Amino acid sequence: MSITTTLISSHRDKMAQRAAQLMHEGRAKNFEQARRQACIELGLSTKEIGACTAEIEAAMAHYQLLFCPDFDEDLLKLRQKALALMIFFQQFEPYLVGSILKGNASKHSDINLLVYSDDPKIVEIFLLNQQIDYSSKERKTQYRQTDSPTIAFWFDQTEVHLQILPSVARHQYAKKNERANYRQLQQLIADSQSTHSIASEE
């Protein structure tokens, strides 16, 4: 291995570690933001040095193991909040995605849900009827040519993002193993509580 390759690998490790710390502290909302900010702080080039998401996720898991004794409890609380939201939005067939599902979230992480409606305004009207303050932005999706809104609001001191997709997209999601419906999340919570209980008894 050349000196240059070794140096790049070292820089990638440092960047992944710093990005993981930024995300855990809530100072970066997503991997791309954490990656850019870590590079800036470390004086690295984002073009030449860029740890992939998997490397940052691994660094987050390591960081949580060393410095976050309450990690399991924080993750459980976030998953329980997500479960409550999925009941609330059940008419829109919600799925949980992102770090809370994967298990590498921090207590500052957002709850990310996919919801389905052929008319995004119906979701917004639902929120208005429930007197929930929200913000909305348009963004392109892979499912259709028209803009699809992503809605953000706060629930029990946690930020929530709803990505509204057309009904047909429910069957087109590229990575079905990276999303969970209500029953799947409920089972995941039950499994984690059982594992935690067994570990506590040992």
Side-chain angles (χ1 to χ4, degrees), residues 15-41:
M15 195 272 278
Q17 292 166 10
R18 182 55 183 157
Q21 185 178 1
L22 289 169
M23 290 191 70
H24 182 80
E25 293 173 351
R27 296 170 58 190
K29 290 294 186 181
N30 54 57
F31 290 108
E32 185 56 36
Q33 183 182 359
R35 187 181 290 112
R36 289 197 307 268
Q37 189 170 334
C39 281
I40 292 172
E41 291 185 11

Side-chain angles (χ1 to χ4, degrees), residues 57-89:
E57 288 179 337
M60 284 185 69
H62 183 66
Y63 182 89
Q64 289 159 348
L65 182 64
L66 292 177
F67 303 110
C68 308
D70 298 326
F71 168 71
D72 289 338
E73 183 179 347
D74 291 337
L75 180 61
L76 176 60
K77 288 179 180 177
L78 286 169
R79 284 177 170 173
Q80 289 173 331
K81 288 182 186 181
L83 198 65
L85 285 166
M86 294 175 83
I87 295 174
F88 184 72
F89 289 106

Side-chain angles (χ1 to χ4, degrees), residues 36-187:
R36 289 197 307 268
Q37 189 170 334
C39 281
I40 292 172
E41 291 185 11
L42 296 172
L44 303 174
S45 168
T46 55
K47 293 182 179 180
E48 296 178 5
I49 307 295
C52 68
T53 297
E55 289 174 300
I56 299 175
E57 288 179 337
M60 284 185 69
H62 183 66
Y63 182 89
Q64 289 159 348
L65 182 64
L66 292 177
F67 303 110
C68 308
D70 298 326
F71 168 71
D72 289 338
E73 183 179 347
D74 291 337
L75 180 61
L76 176 60
K77 288 179 180 177
L78 286 169
R79 284 177 170 173
Q80 289 173 331
K81 288 182 186 181
L83 198 65
L85 285 166
M86 294 175 83
I87 295 174
F88 184 72
F89 289 106
Q90 60 183 324
Q91 70 187 81
F92 302 109
E93 303 177 272
Y95 282 85
L96 176 67
V97 295
S99 61
I100 293 175
L101 175 61
K102 292 180 180 179
N104 54 22
S106 76
K107 62 182 178 181
H108 303 289
S109 294
D110 304 336
I111 296 174
N112 292 280
L113 297 177
L114 302 179
V115 294
Y116 298 90
S117 175
D118 291 324
D119 182 1
K121 289 296 180 183
I122 294 177
V123 180
E124 297 189 50
I125 292 172
F126 175 78
L127 289 171
L128 288 172
N129 288 339
Q130 299 296 324
Q131 299 182 332
I132 295 175
D133 293 328
Y134 67 90
S135 59
S136 178
K137 63 180 182 179
E138 301 291 325
R139 79 178 193 180
K140 296 291 186 180
T141 76
Q142 62 179 315
Y143 303 104
R144 58 178 182 177
Q145 297 300 313
T146 56
D147 289 334
S148 179
T150 294
I151 289 175
F153 61 94
W154 288 85
F155 169 64
D156 192 20
Q157 300 181 320
T158 298
E159 190 169 12
V160 181
H161 290 95
L162 299 180
Q163 183 180 357
I164 306 174
L165 299 172
S167 299
V168 66
R170 188 165 60 89
H171 306 289
Q172 298 175 348
Y173 194 68
K175 299 177 180 178
K176 292 186 178 181
N177 62 326
E178 293 187 5
R179 67 177 187 175
N181 59 25
Y182 175 83
R183 289 177 179 272
Q184 291 166 331
L185 178 58
Q186 190 177 43
Q187 186 61 53

